[in-house]
Amino acid sequence: DEELPEIYADNLKSDDITIFAIGLNLKPIGIDSLSNTSSGANYFLNTDDSDTNIEDAIGFIKQGLCKK
């Protein structure tokens, strides 16, 4: 079920757990799910075929963690 990740994420967020979501080469239809799963704007996405790699996403998450 495509809604299960969002349900699980909502349960975790209700326990004050911050969710970071990563979407690389994500199709436009998946962007809403990615943003709904993450806590606020804590998501990183790339919708094209560029060479964005996991290190860029990890850097984004590190920046978010350092703000807390």
Side-chain angles (χ1 to χ4, degrees):
D1 188 358
E2 290 183 20
E3 294 180 6
L4 282 178
E6 291 180 28
I7 292 169
Y8 292 137
D10 286 342
N11 289 334
L12 292 170
K13 289 185 275 187
S14 70
D15 290 335
D16 291 327
I17 296 172
T18 301
I19 306 283
F20 288 86
I22 299 171
L24 300 177
N25 298 326
L26 191 65
K27 303 293 181 215
I29 196 165
I31 294 171
D32 288 337
S33 178
L34 187 71
S35 65
N36 290 337
T37 302
S38 67
S39 300
N42 290 323
Y43 62 92
F44 177 91
L45 67 106
N46 174 20
T47 58
D48 58 26
D49 292 329
S50 69
D51 290 335
T52 300
N53 58 38
I54 197 71
E55 282 99 18
D56 294 334
I58 291 170
F60 173 79
I61 292 171
K62 285 180 180 178
Q63 288 177 337
L65 291 172
C66 290
K67 291 180 184 177
K68 300 215 176 267

